[in-house]
Amino acid sequence: EGIGTWDVPTLEWMVAHRTPVATNVAWFFSTLGSAWGMTTIALLATGFLVWRTRSYWPVLLIGFTAAGSVALTVLLKNLTARARPLRAQVVEPLPTSYAFPSGHTLNATAILGVVGYLLFLVLRSQLARILSLVSLGILVLAIGWSRIYLGHHWLTDALHGSSRGGAWAAIVISLHHFVVLKNRRFAHWIMV
């Protein structure tokens, strides 16, 4: 029902319009959204943010975000047990877990959302802030698209993954902003 009525037509359109170049691009973004890809991106971003702030808060925030998003992904997949698209529509290798939500999209949205927040706090140039947020947003959209294009998820899996990941990032950001940054007892511990 609702947006779910677009699941089959969206996937069928993607399958009908697959090309070798687009498939390679989809695999690139899907790999960036994988556990290894997100771990690499998170470690690089954390390293830069720790170097820039001389603070341990980026390690805590990004680590906490990643752990929570993975736990949320596993919990939701096991609660819903939604089947993936038909085998004939999937670009191999076949995924082995349940479809809902898209773990790639949920984790990318959560982790890159918190990275974007921290970059916004650290970067002083308005242009650098805008470019980093737009780049991270495009990356999240590309990862979600890649999962649908490859037939590994339905449209609603990616949309719900993004909304759940965004909600988790919002919780982490709110906790950091209102509990840590606004609390004077922590002020001497942080530079971000």
Side-chain angles (χ1 to χ4, degrees), residues 131-150:
L131 288 175
S132 65
L133 293 178
V134 168
S135 299
L136 293 171
I138 290 171
L139 181 54
V140 167
L141 290 173
I143 290 169
W145 161 80
S146 73
R147 303 305 289 160
I148 302 164
Y149 178 89
L150 295 170

Side-chain angles (χ1 to χ4, degrees), residues 26-63:
W27 272 119
F28 172 76
F29 286 114
S30 184
T31 302
L32 285 179
S34 70
W36 288 108
M38 274 294 105
T39 300
T40 303
I41 291 170
L43 288 173
L44 290 172
T46 302
F48 170 76
L49 290 162
V50 166
W51 169 77
R52 188 72 188 260
T53 63
R54 313 248 185 273
S55 166
Y56 65 86
W57 279 103
V59 175
L60 294 175
L61 288 173
I62 294 171

Side-chain angles (χ1 to χ4, degrees), residues 18 21 36-37 43 56 59 61 76 93 96 111 150 179-180 186 190 192:
R18 281 183 184 149
V21 171
W36 288 108
L43 288 173
Y56 65 86
V59 175
L61 288 173
L76 292 173
T96 57
I111 293 167
L150 295 170
V179 175
V180 178
F186 290 109
I190 58 172
V192 177

Side-chain angles (χ1 to χ4, degrees), residues 39-125:
T39 300
T40 303
I41 291 170
L43 288 173
L44 290 172
T46 302
F48 170 76
L49 290 162
V50 166
W51 169 77
R52 188 72 188 260
T53 63
R54 313 248 185 273
S55 166
Y56 65 86
W57 279 103
V59 175
L60 294 175
L61 288 173
I62 294 171
F64 183 67
T65 303
S69 69
V70 169
L72 190 58
T73 299
V74 171
L75 176 69
L76 292 173
K77 282 184 180 288
N78 288 321
L79 282 175
T80 58
R82 184 180 194 192
R84 293 203 183 243
L86 298 174
R87 194 179 195 113
Q89 298 171 314
V90 177
V91 176
E92 297 200 9
L94 299 172
T96 57
S97 65
Y98 293 118
F100 183 90
S102 166
H104 284 62
T105 310
L106 190 154
N107 295 311
T109 304
I111 293 167
L112 297 178
V114 170
V115 166
Y117 162 73
L118 292 171
L119 287 173
F120 187 83
L121 293 178
V122 168
L123 299 173
R124 297 294 168 227
S125 160

Side-chain angles (χ1 to χ4, degrees), residues 1-38:
E1 292 183 21
I3 194 80
T5 60
W6 288 91
D7 278 345
V8 172
T10 301
L11 182 59
E12 287 177 348
W13 189 88
M14 296 265 189
V15 170
H17 292 88
R18 281 183 184 149
T19 66
V21 171
T23 301
N24 287 333
V25 170
W27 272 119
F28 172 76
F29 286 114
S30 184
T31 302
L32 285 179
S34 70
W36 288 108
M38 274 294 105

